[in-house]
Amino acid sequence: MTAAPTVPERLLGLGADFTRHHDALTDIALLHGPDPGGNLARRSTAAQALAREALDVAEALRAMPGLRHSPEVKAAAERAVQLAALAVLSTDHLLHAADILREARHASGKPEVVRQHRLEVGRRITLAARLTSLGNEDCVATARLVAVELHRQQLAPRLRPPALSPAQRAALEAVASGRVTLARHLDKTRLGRGDVRVSISTIRSLEGRGLVHREPCALVLHDERVHLTRDGRRALTAVLIRPRPTAPTTARPAARPAATTAVPAH
C-alpha cells in the first residue's frame, strides 16, 4: 500500500499545479476558439482548487500529531494561507473577465465597446496570472521549511535520500520551481528565472530514474513542461533537509607574480 504524501510532498505537488495554472493563463489560445468563456470558467475552477489545497495543507500542519508549532511551522502555515489568498484573488479576476466577455457579446454592434471590453478581459487575465506566477517557487520554499522542521522534530518518515549528483539535485529543484521546459525540435532545455543551468542530459537521467516526466506545454517556443513524478517529489523532499552543495568555482586562479631576477651586489 502506497503511503500518503507528506506535507512537503503535497506542497511540491501544489507547486506543480500553480505552474500548470500559470501556463494556461499565459497561453495565447486562452481567448481563441469557440468557447473562450468556458476556458475562463475552467481556469477559475482550477484556481479555486489551488486555494482549497493550500488551505488543506495549512490545516494538515496545524493538526499534525506531535508537531510542535515552532516559529518555522507557523511561518509555513501562514505561507500556505497566503498562497490560498492569492489563488482566490486570481479566481475573482477570472470570474470578472468571464462576465466582461459575456457583456462584449451583447455589444457586438459597437466595435469600440467590444474593443474596450476585450482590453479589460486581457488585463484581468494578466492580473490573475501575476498573482499566481510565484506560487510554484513559494511552494518549494515552504516545502523546504517544513521538511527541515519535521526532520529537526524527528517526525519525518525514515527515507533514505537518493544518490543524486549536484546537477541532478539542482535540476529537481528547478523543475519543482517551474523553471524547466523543453524545445523538442532543438533537443534542449529552456530555463526560466534563476541562474541554474539544467542540461537535457540531466533531465534524461532523471527521467530514466522515474523522477521527472514531461507534459505538453502550450506556451510559445516551449513544447513540453518538465514536472516531478510522485517519486521525484519524495526524492526532493528527502534532500531538501540537506544544505545545497557549493557550486564549483569557475574563476581562474590569480596569476602568479612574475619572477624577478636578483641583481648581484657589486
Side-chain angles (χ1 to χ4, degrees), residues 120-185:
E120 181 62 16
V121 168
R123 189 181 75 85
R124 293 279 183 174
I125 294 172
T126 298
L127 286 172
R130 287 177 176 172
L131 284 165
T132 53
S133 64
L134 297 179
N136 41 28
E137 296 187 19
D138 289 343
C139 282
V140 174
T142 309
R144 186 192 312 279
L145 192 64
V146 174
V148 169
E149 190 62 11
L150 291 179
H151 178 74
R152 190 180 71 82
Q153 295 192 28
Q154 299 183 345
L155 294 173
R158 294 183 179 275
L159 297 175
R160 177 180 295 178
L164 296 171
S165 69
Q168 288 175 324
R169 171 176 172 164
L172 283 182
E173 289 200 40
V175 167
S177 299
R179 297 177 186 168
V180 184
T181 57
L182 303 176
R184 277 197 309 267
H185 62 292

Side-chain angles (χ1 to χ4, degrees), residues 28-39 42 101 105 118:
I28 62 172
L30 184 64
L31 292 178
H32 299 287
D35 188 21
N39 291 339
R42 284 186 284 276
L101 201 58
R105 286 204 204 95
R118 287 196 167 273

Side-chain angles (χ1 to χ4, degrees), residues 11 18 60 85 103 108 113-114 130 134 142 157 179 183 194-195 219 264:
L11 281 162
F18 267 100
E103 291 175 11
S108 57
V113 174
V114 171
R130 287 177 176 172
L134 297 179
T142 309
R179 297 177 186 168
D195 56 0
L219 301 182

